[in-house]
Amino acid sequence: MGIFRKKSPSKEGVHTDKGLSCLCNRAIRYAAVRVAGENGETVVGREGYINLTDGRVIICCSGKTVFDSELDGVTVGELMSHNGATFTYRDAQDGKKKILTAYYTSYVK
């Protein structure tokens, strides 16, 4: 027996309230989208925030909504550097798997 335990398989769309509460009302510097399996990112907005309400995740940048989806179809994870969060989802229009990365605004506390 080792000191490491086998991780239980994660299920897409399963989230804990503790993990998501730290993202609510978080200020972001910019948000970028990329298609899974392809190179490059496209910046979709700058200077915004992440809002979690009524089982939905909404990301607003520059006064417009750049991402709005129910949490059931989205996998949320924080970057290892703790400088942002990723939202993995399937696009309803073309069916491709996409990853939206929201990079936090750095404030010195």
Side-chain angles (χ1 to χ4, degrees), residues 54-109:
D54 298 329
R56 300 185 69 80
V57 59
I58 301 167
I59 299 176
C60 296
C61 292
S62 305
K64 65 177 183 174
T65 302
V66 295
F67 183 71
D68 184 2
S69 179
E70 291 191 21
L71 281 173
D72 291 339
V74 178
T75 303
V76 180
E78 192 166 30
L79 298 178
M80 289 179 68
S81 63
H82 299 285
N83 290 337
T86 60
F87 302 87
T88 306
Y89 64 99
R90 285 230 178 256
D91 192 11
Q93 295 175 350
D94 57 9
K96 292 183 180 180
K97 184 176 179 181
K98 294 188 178 182
I99 299 119
L100 183 132
T101 306
Y103 297 94
Y104 303 147
T105 302
S106 299
Y107 290 118
V108 177
K109 294 183 180 180

Side-chain angles (χ1 to χ4, degrees), residues 20-80:
L20 292 177
S21 65
C22 69
L23 295 178
C24 191
N25 295 326
R26 190 78 189 246
I28 56 173
R29 186 178 331 141
Y30 66 96
V33 174
R34 66 182 168 97
V35 178
E38 294 182 12
N39 293 331
E41 287 184 330
T42 303
V43 175
V44 292
R46 296 184 187 280
E47 302 298 325
Y49 61 92
I50 301 169
N51 192 4
L52 300 168
T53 180
D54 298 329
R56 300 185 69 80
V57 59
I58 301 167
I59 299 176
C60 296
C61 292
S62 305
K64 65 177 183 174
T65 302
V66 295
F67 183 71
D68 184 2
S69 179
E70 291 191 21
L71 281 173
D72 291 339
V74 178
T75 303
V76 180
E78 192 166 30
L79 298 178
M80 289 179 68

